[in-house]
Amino acid sequence: MEKISKSIRKKDHTAKVSGRALYVDDVVIDGMLYGRLLHSTKAKARISNIILPDLPEGYFVVDKNDVTGENRVQIVLADTPVFAEDTVEYVGEPILMVVGPELKAVERILQEIVVVYEEQVPILDMRKADTAFFDIKYEKGDIDKALAEADRVFIETFETGHQEQAYLETQGMVAYPHKERMTVRGSMQCPYYVHGALTKALGYDAKNIQVVQDVTGGGFGGKEAFPSILACQTAVAAKKANKPVKVVFGRQEDMEFTSKRHPSVCTYKVAVKNGEITGMDIDIIYNSGAYTTLSLVVLQRGMIGANGVYRVDNLRVAGRAVKTNTVPNGAYRGFGAPQTFFAIEMMMNHIAKEMGVDALEFKEKHLVKQGDATSTSGKYHFHVPLPEMIKRIDELCDYREKRKRYEQQTGRFRKGIGMSLFFHGCGFTGSGERDIIKAVTKIRKNADDTVEILASNTDMGQGLKTTFCKIVADTLGIDYDRVNLNNPDTDLVPDSGPTVASRSLMVVGELLRRASERLKKEWKPGEEQIVEERFVEPDFIIPFDIQKFKGDAYPTYSWAINAVEIEVDTLTATTKVLGAWGIYDVGVAIDMNIIQGQMQGGFLQGIGAASMEQMNYNDKGMIRNNKFSDYIIPTAVDVPNLVTEIIDNPYKDGPYGAKGAGELPAVGGAPAYVAAIENALDTIVNKLPFTTEEAMKILQEENA
Amino acid sequence: MIKFILNGQEVASAAKANERLLDVLRSEFRLTSVKCGCKEGECGACSVILDGRLANSCMVAMGHVAGSHVMTLEGYRETKRFAVLEEAYASVSAVQCGFCIPGMILASECILAKNPNPSEDEIRTGISGNLCRCTGYTAIVKAIGIAAKEGKGLW
């Protein structure tokens, strides 16, 4: 373990453990009003009339007519309305907001509003969608030749469903106008995203918008783009009221109407010749929902990882993010990768099974290694530690021996073990860091020789306050207690980019390290000094061409292996997780406890997605699983034996060797779990989640 | 008026009998450590200790509280036991986003009050009514085990 990895008391520990940390719902401002949104109850309709009750004094309604700028929320594109115009495109689309001094009265008024809809036929099934928001294709080698010359071609389709971030703190914002300005604060990952969206929707100069992050109770991607929408609505209301307005979502509202992981349908056509894979032809559909939000980038990441950790010289990947009349999907930890990694890992298992060879040995034969080309004809520039990670996980859980032993069991209780191999591309996809984000960060040395970090990245629980401060303190050679990082306020910090894409520590952390190195050289005791650093693309990169979809999609990759062992009770169809093991390469851990916590939490989210987290629609497009009582996430008793290990594999352009970490663990839990189910029940599964009901179906067929 | 003991002090609330204890604690008494996560008794973020037992305050009607003892983290954090839990949680960095933590700390207290030397299974069962989406629970379970050891004699 590196010296920097030794854990330290987290910067935000004391405030949070004592309950003193204030989250947005804890913020109360004099004269503050409360807002609640009226959401569409139809999946596709024209609004023909809205009948309002008599509003008591002090209560009013805010809608599209109150938007002083453009009635659009700037995300990647700007197609999401702040408030619905003439039509609604999904159940939950915000139509208007009721605002007033008493929350209960606001809620009562909301109940009394009648919206008259002219209903239209919604498209709910992504396979029947007639609009592709994004349609991308890339290839390398000659896939048609590979397919034509193959000994065998394996074809299979995989499906994954919604996954809800289920952060414990629901979405919330407070907006307050003052003089010519508007301040918005709340739960968010990306203050400057919110800032940009507000500028457009309010029609204000950028300098008149201030965005402040409050302590944020979990994000997992769910607070990447959605807060921009809620911030615009809340700010429009505050402007109309000329008073502070607070909007905090209830759990049901949050689960039903905020962005989730994109459901997917992936079809793989794999050419095999002489026992080896010679080509893959992959077709991917992601369900965007009603608006584009982040679907373009989510789709790209899914497509880039579609061949997994395997070398495929002849490759074609076609992807579409399609429009349906369902809630817009967005970022969720892994960002498009968990869907295709589920598909590729299962595909590899199934091909091996058909060919009568061991799945892990078959995978090992095809592993990428340093110097190999990536899917997009970039390069794996650095060591790929998968072989030693396989060895280690086998030592930990006895995978190979168990896998054989669990084949073809009979009897009531049947065990199974499964494995998944995966990576996560570190940082923004393609040339995003260089061309779009252009991160700027500063450190300020105060006259008392304390140091403050000025960056727009947020701590939403992943420990950034601690890891950023550790990097700066260690580089400067000063005490950790003398370095501070406050929640970002766009009036005070430069735009160092959003807190997404497992980029903050690797990219912004490195800028901070370099700034600290300079400050150390220029250090003048007792004087105020400011050092600024700007992003520069590492020189080894093969530039990514977004039109051709070629080049290094990522500078480097974090690698991992998961294994999950389960036991199915064939009488009740319930499944018990006996053990879950993960080996992770995140370069170097800047804080071992923090990285362990990230890996453990992400792994459990993956096992949740595989086994219990189900979210379905009814035929009217309404989400049925909209509460914690019917959208079930893992509790402390579900996966008791969860073991994670971190290996060192320093990355030369990351601070102290660190690479991306946050999303990696959410990528591989599901395929490992499902592979274990297949091992136990001697079956083939190509759909997520695999719930108890699914197990029951298989067992009933077996008995029939 | 509904009279009860809140963090050791006798208080009276003007709330109606059918109001949720959660709402009253947060709005009338401004005890913001009590978090609202679901309002259906599933997540445990609003946990309080009600007459010595862990309770989801969103599922407790004010009428039920009359004459009871209610402890929130604002009261509990003044105790020696809390200081032990605080350090134990810090030593394994068990706090991530922090939203579940007030409930987790009170759940930890209830586990240890019932059994000062709990097994891992007992710890896991004891916090199984408190959802955490960040940690995977491993560090929290460890922290409670550490607190049991470090706080010997306090429970």
Side-chain angles (χ1 to χ4, degrees), chain A residues 441-443 451-455 468-469 472 483-486 512:
Chain A
T441 184
K442 294 180 188 176
I443 50 176
V451 172
E452 199 172 328
I453 295 171
L454 302 173
F468 271 7
C469 289
V472 170
V483 183
N484 279 307
L485 173 59
N486 292 318
L512 290 171

Side-chain angles (χ1 to χ4, degrees), chain A residues 470-488:
Chain A
K470 275 180 90 170
I471 288 169
V472 170
D474 194 82
T475 309
L476 285 169
I478 65 172
D479 200 88
Y480 166 75
D481 293 336
R482 282 168 56 201
V483 183
N484 279 307
L485 173 59
N486 292 318
N487 291 340

Side-chain angles (χ1 to χ4, degrees), chain B residues 31-69:
Chain B
L31 297 174
T32 53
S33 81
V34 189
K35 301 298 184 202
C36 174
C38 70
K39 280 207 173 172
E40 55 162 349
E42 285 287 331
C43 79
C46 67
S47 297
V48 297
I49 300 177
L50 177 63
D51 294 327
R53 294 176 64 179
L54 195 68
N56 289 318
S57 62
C58 70
M59 293 284 100
V60 176
M62 281 306 290
H64 183 77
V65 173
S68 288
H69 283 260

Side-chain angles (χ1 to χ4, degrees), chain A residues 647-665:
Chain A
I647 66 160
D648 265 4
N649 183 20
Y651 166 53
K652 71 182 184 66
D653 283 274
Y656 294 81
K659 299 191 282 194
E663 293 172 281
L664 176 71

Side-chain angles (χ1 to χ4, degrees), chain A residues 136-389:
Chain A
I136 306 170
K137 199 179 271 188
Y138 75 87
E139 57 182 292
K140 67 171 181 177
D142 189 340
I143 178 64
D144 292 319
K145 186 163 171 254
L147 288 167
E149 291 177 356
D151 297 336
R152 288 181 77 174
V153 174
F154 296 87
I155 302 175
E156 191 172 350
T157 297
F158 302 90
E159 285 177 54
T160 64
H162 273 305
Q163 190 183 11
E164 159 63 30
Q165 293 86 356
Y167 32 68
L168 260 278
E169 182 212 27
T170 56
Q171 304 271 357
M173 282 299 157
V174 173
Y176 44 102
H178 46 104
K179 292 189 185 139
E180 301 303 306
R181 304 190 79 209
M182 179 69 71
T183 296
V184 175
R185 58 187 302 158
S187 188
M188 65 181 78
Q189 293 177 216
C190 314
Y192 273 100
Y193 278 3
V194 174
H195 190 272
L198 285 167
T199 307
K200 191 183 194 97
L202 293 178
Y204 278 21
D205 285 344
K207 66 174 184 349
N208 288 332
I209 304 279
Q210 180 188 25
V211 178
V212 184
Q213 182 226 3
D214 276 310
V215 178
T216 295
F220 317 116
K223 292 171 185 171
E224 174 173 347
F226 192 85
S228 297
I229 306 172
L230 185 57
C232 289
Q233 292 155 348
T234 311
V236 167
K239 184 167 165 57
K240 184 170 185 179
N242 199 27
K243 280 185 178 171
V245 173
K246 173 154 89 177
V247 184
V248 174
F249 274 19
R251 178 59 60 185
Q252 187 175 332
E253 189 177 24
D254 197 295
M255 279 204 166
E256 262 188 275
F257 306 143
T258 70
S259 61
K260 298 160 217 319
R261 193 181 303 293
H262 290 66
S264 70
V265 176
C266 298
T267 302
Y268 279 61
K269 208 186 269 188
V270 179
V272 174
K273 193 173 174 66
N274 300 327
E276 283 186 29
I277 290 172
T278 51
M280 288 192 188
D281 190 3
I282 303 166
D283 183 82
I284 296 170
I285 311 173
Y286 280 0
N287 180 354
S288 291
Y291 296 103
T292 60
T293 70
L294 296 161
S295 293
L296 171 63
V297 220
V298 169
L299 176 66
Q300 286 171 346
R301 194 179 272 273
M303 290 176 66
I304 290 161
N307 58 321
V309 298
Y310 310 108
R311 187 180 149 156
V312 182
D313 293 334
N314 301 299
L315 178 68
R316 179 163 55 215
V317 184
R320 291 174 307 293
V322 299
K323 176 179 176 173
T324 61
N325 295 106
T326 60
V327 64
N329 295 301
Y332 184 173
R333 198 176 198 176
F335 206 73
Q339 294 93 321
T340 48
F341 270 91
F342 171 69
I344 182 67
E345 284 299 286
M346 300 321 293
M347 188 77 211
M348 293 296 281
N349 295 341
H350 298 170
I351 294 172
K353 188 169 180 169
E354 275 287 307
M355 289 172 47
V357 297
D358 176 74
L360 179 56
E361 283 171 21
F362 185 64
K363 289 177 179 179
E364 283 176 304
K365 238 163 80 171
H366 295 90
L367 289 183
V368 293
K369 55 184 190 310
Q370 185 172 6
D372 280 352
T374 65
S375 58
T376 57
S377 308
K379 195 169 156 186
Y380 291 106
H381 294 277
F382 306 105
H383 175 58
V384 177
L386 289 171
E388 57 263 37
M389 295 166 88

